[in-house]
Amino acid sequence: LDGRWQIMKIEYASGEEETPERAYYSVALHTINLMQVGVTSQTGNMEYTGDSLFVEMPVSKIEDLLPFGMNDTKQRFGVKELTSKHLVLQSDYARLEFRKF
């Protein structure tokens, strides 16, 4: 899971889809950094358990996390697919598809 992942598509529970422009999750050990060109990056903690990714962004505001497919400062994602080049995360809010960058 470690490395930089580019968000390719966000599918919301409402059925809407979005393709964010140059938005990334950067993962190292237990730290996650959410970055988008021209936007302040957000840093938080994460725990990967094999089938779930728990993300906690204690100093972020929810509106700053929305472009990254998160609707809360604490989010649980199910890890639906993880290969060396592809990642799919699913929460109650959205399904995120990534490519390794």
Side-chain angles (χ1 to χ4, degrees):
L1 188 63
D2 282 3
R4 183 171 290 178
W5 296 91
Q6 182 179 14
I7 303 173
M8 301 307 292
K9 181 166 66 169
I10 300 174
E11 295 177 27
Y12 297 98
S14 65
E16 295 179 47
E17 291 186 6
E18 182 179 0
T19 305
E21 190 170 323
R22 297 187 289 179
Y24 306 91
Y25 279 31
S26 186
V27 178
L29 294 174
H30 296 286
T31 303
I32 190 164
N33 192 14
L34 310 181
M35 301 168 290
Q36 189 169 20
V37 174
V39 178
T40 305
S41 66
Q42 307 292 315
T43 302
N45 305 307
M46 51 79 56
E47 182 179 346
Y48 173 53
T49 63
D51 68 343
S52 296
L53 178 67
F54 298 92
V55 178
E56 187 172 336
M57 308 297 286
V59 296
S60 297
K61 296 177 183 162
I62 292 172
E63 57 266 19
D64 295 330
L65 301 175
L66 292 173
F68 300 99
M70 294 178 61
N71 66 340
D72 200 346
T73 57
K74 292 183 181 181
Q75 194 91 50
R76 181 210 168 268
F77 292 102
V79 179
K80 298 301 179 188
E81 183 179 340
L82 175 59
T83 68
S84 61
K85 302 249 183 236
H86 194 238
L87 171 65
V88 177
L89 299 177
Q90 176 80 48
S91 71
D92 293 338
Y93 177 65
R95 181 178 189 268
L96 291 78
E97 293 185 17
F98 298 85
R99 73 173 176 137
K100 188 76 169 229
F101 189 75

